[in-house]
Amino acid sequence: MNTPENAATVIAPTADVITPDGKDWTWVLERSCPDCGLDTPAVVREEVAGLVRANAASWLAVLDAEEDVLRRRPRPDVWSALEYACHVRDVFRLFHVRLNLMLDQDGPLFPNWDQDETALAERYGEQDPKAVAADLAEAAEILAGAFDRVSGEQWQRTGDRSDGARFTVESFSRYLIHDPVHHLHDVTGVPAA
């Protein structure tokens, strides 16, 4: 996803012009992100739950804007703030499912998720911002609570993506937090603290 720019015109939310992001973002586990500024390798695993909650609060502030502002795409090939918020909500939901798989099964293979297809199918740009805010807050709290309960050897349990990427719960927690932080930067332009 490209970084949005300020725009004065409303662009219809036609998600079909978004170029799918095919990058392997696992490199954020090895170095800071030059775009959003998050030093993912330095994230303390026990702090991820709090970071999820803080990030969700920032998204709720973003979603407390006029609907036309939230639906406005800065460019046709860049998601609107509302579309990004829907994505973050769904990332929180997906990562909760994947975290549970890692805690309940030995070395599970995560089901594939096509984020771009989901955005189209769920019509992200047409969703109700108030409902998105409520759902995002709920999904964040459920995920944060799940991370709060991880302890001891559970941090070393593993799970795999179909592309061969292997995560421990610990690396998974760091990988997770980069996504909503990065997308908040995409929308606000404010680097990670």
Side-chain angles (χ1 to χ4, degrees):
M1 208 48 47
N2 298 316
T3 304
E5 301 166 352
N6 292 331
T9 59
V10 174
I11 300 171
T14 54
D16 57 332
V17 297
I18 297 291
T19 303
D21 183 356
K23 289 186 239 171
D24 177 3
W25 285 89
T26 55
W27 61 265
V28 300
L29 294 171
E30 300 166 6
R31 60 187 185 277
S32 296
C33 179
D35 297 325
C36 72
L38 183 65
D39 185 7
T40 310
V43 170
V44 177
R45 67 189 188 190
E46 290 85 2
E47 294 177 4
V48 169
L51 293 170
V52 167
R53 289 181 177 106
N55 181 267
S58 295
W59 278 104
L60 296 181
V62 166
L63 289 166
D64 191 29
E66 296 295 323
E67 275 195 45
D68 64 326
V69 172
L70 293 172
R71 295 181 194 284
R72 182 180 302 137
R73 282 189 170 180
R75 294 192 322 260
D77 63 335
V78 176
W79 276 349
S80 67
L82 178 59
E83 290 169 301
Y84 273 117
C86 289
H87 171 74
V88 168
R89 173 204 59 206
D90 289 351
V91 164
F92 287 155
R93 289 172 171 169
L94 174 73
F95 274 70
H96 181 246
V97 168
R98 289 181 174 181
L99 175 60
N100 284 336
L101 286 173
M102 294 171 77
L103 295 174
D104 295 341
Q105 299 177 18
D106 290 332
L109 180 63
F110 303 141
N112 287 330
W113 181 55
D114 185 326
Q115 63 188 19
D116 300 301
E117 178 57 36
T118 301
L120 282 171
E122 298 296 321
R123 303 175 74 102
Y124 279 178
E126 298 174 28
Q127 292 192 20
D128 173 28
K130 288 181 180 22
V132 172
D135 292 345
L136 188 151
E138 178 183 41
E141 185 53 41
I142 289 169
L143 178 60
F147 273 113
D148 277 337
R149 292 186 291 278
V150 175
S151 65
E153 293 300 312
Q154 289 180 315
W155 289 106
Q156 299 314 310
R157 295 189 58 83
T158 63
D160 299 303
R161 280 194 324 214
S162 62
D163 66 358
R166 171 164 278 196
F167 297 92
T168 62
V169 171
E170 182 172 355
S171 66
F172 179 79
S173 72
R174 290 185 180 116
Y175 181 74
L176 152 72
I177 198 57
H178 174 261
D179 191 88
V181 167
H182 190 96
H183 292 317
L184 188 62
H185 170 71
D186 285 335
V187 170
T188 66
V190 177

